[in-house]
Structures are given as structure tokens and as C-alpha cells.
Amino acid sequence: SFDLVGERKRTNFSSDNNKRRFEETFEIKIRNHKDADAAVTVVEHLYRWTNWKVVDANAKWVKKDAQTIEFPVTVKKDGETVVTYTVKYSW
């Protein structure tokens, strides 16, 4: 849909090779230019490693499979919703 616009950016990254882990934080902005509220599913693929844990999120999320999570959100008409989350990978 041309009336729904998404923008994704990584806002933080840290690693500790001695402890064999790293974390990254993402921000996903969804803007709705429709005349009605919109239900949106933000799909994120956690592809960096098989051992991961979401350590912080501002929205509820669902684990779909071993490397995919989804954030079902509602974006108000002519509004914006921001989803942020931090994932920690370990090996």
C-alpha cells in the first residue's frame, strides 16, 4: 500500500567477543496516510545467530519460527507508530 510507509534503522550495536555475545537495537517507524486506522505486522528476521533473546521491546511480539519475530501493531489514521527492540545474540 502506498499509504503505509515504513522506515527501519539500527540505533545501537555493541559486542563483547570475550563473552561471546553482541546486542543490537532497532527502530521501525510506520506512518499511515490512510483515512482509517491500519493493522500492520512488522516482521523481523533475527538472522545473525541461532541463539538470540529479545531483551527489550516497546511492543508485544510473537516468535514465528527459530529466526523470525513479529510485532502486530495498529497505526492510527494520519499517524505514526514506532517499534523499538533490542536483541542479544550469544554463541
Side-chain angles (χ1 to χ4, degrees):
S1 173
F2 294 108
D3 296 330
L4 293 170
V5 179
E7 178 184 336
R8 178 181 188 264
K9 68 179 176 179
R10 184 169 68 173
T11 59
N12 196 19
F13 179 86
S14 65
S15 66
D16 187 340
N17 288 333
N18 294 330
K19 293 185 179 179
R20 299 170 59 132
R21 68 176 182 203
F22 64 91
E23 288 186 9
E24 56 187 346
T25 302
F26 291 94
E27 175 185 87
I28 300 102
K29 292 182 181 179
I30 306 104
R31 291 183 299 281
N32 179 7
H33 300 290
K34 293 183 174 193
D35 293 331
D37 295 353
V40 176
T41 301
V42 176
V43 179
E44 289 289 288
H45 300 285
L46 308 177
Y47 60 89
R48 292 194 182 271
W49 197 251
T50 55
N51 296 324
W52 57 266
K53 180 179 181 181
V54 175
V55 294
D56 188 33
N58 73 340
K60 292 187 180 192
W61 57 275
V62 177
K63 179 179 177 180
K64 296 307 284 184
D65 61 36
Q67 292 184 297
T68 308
I69 59 175
E70 294 181 350
F71 295 89
V73 295
T74 300
V75 185
K76 299 289 185 186
K77 69 176 188 171
D78 290 319
E80 177 180 87
T81 296
V82 179
V83 173
T84 60
Y85 74 94
T86 301
V87 61
K88 178 168 63 172
Y89 295 94
S90 60
W91 63 96

